[in-house]
Amino acid sequence: RSLRPHTFYHGTNLKAALAIQETGFRVPTGPGGCLGPGVYCTTTLKKAFDYLDCEHGGIVFELEVDLGRCKTLQKDDPQMNTWHSDYDSAWHPTGAVNQSHEGKEENCVKDPKRIKIVRPIAGHTAKLLAAGYEIVGNALVSRSSLR
């Protein structure tokens, strides 16, 4: 068995989570984040939860990711934004923004088809319920659709 991780997390707001669940991840046009365009995820659940400072508590998606050919980036790596032509994904062991923080690793996956949503995790269950949503099985659903 490969020692490469397969379980990842992606934290986002409720509106984006509903869109992702409906149509899948999309890579926005433009330059992208610090690692360039792609879908950002992490194996660090705490880092994913750090992205949930939003009105309804947000959602963390647990993901199954096929990294394909993955570029390991180092601090101030010259390929930080240019790895896309030769690799399917990139991994930065300390995160691209503040490259000295352990436990803040991140991955950027070029093709969203390499990502499967396993389940949503509520960032704050009471806020999610107050917004009219809940997690049933492995899906985020409107409570009005349950009636």
Side-chain angles (χ1 to χ4, degrees):
R1 226 177 110 99
S2 170
L3 295 177
R4 291 173 68 171
H6 296 280
T7 301
F8 293 82
Y9 303 96
H10 176 86
T12 192
N13 65 53
L14 181 60
K15 182 178 178 183
L18 290 165
I20 291 166
Q21 186 175 265
E22 182 72 27
T23 60
F25 284 96
R26 287 192 226 151
V27 175
T29 57
C34 292
L35 301 178
V39 177
Y40 286 73
C41 55
T42 181
T43 58
T44 309
L45 186 56
K46 182 185 178 327
K47 181 172 181 168
F49 271 97
D50 287 347
Y51 282 86
L52 300 187
D53 185 17
C54 46
E55 182 182 1
H56 303 298
I59 295 292
V60 169
F61 283 115
E62 180 181 324
L63 309 171
E64 191 175 290
V65 178
D66 173 8
L67 295 174
R69 189 159 180 243
C70 183
K71 169 69 177 164
T72 299
L73 298 165
Q74 304 302 322
K75 185 175 180 174
D76 301 321
D77 198 301
Q79 284 191 297
M80 194 78 78
N81 292 59
T82 60
W83 57 267
H84 296 76
S85 58
D86 297 319
Y87 297 91
D88 300 307
S89 63
W91 174 65
H92 200 295
T94 58
V97 175
N98 189 338
Q99 298 180 20
S100 63
H101 282 164
E102 293 294 322
K104 295 288 189 172
E105 63 83 25
E106 65 187 323
N107 289 77
C108 183
V109 181
K110 181 170 63 174
D111 184 357
K113 291 182 179 125
R114 292 182 165 277
I115 302 170
K116 176 186 169 208
I117 297 173
V118 175
R119 67 184 175 117
I121 302 166
H124 192 289
T125 303
K127 288 182 180 181
L128 187 65
L129 291 170
Y133 292 88
E134 65 183 289
I135 295 171
V136 177
N138 290 328
L140 176 62
V141 296
S142 167
R143 295 181 78 202
S144 64
S145 70
L146 299 173
R147 294 180 189 155

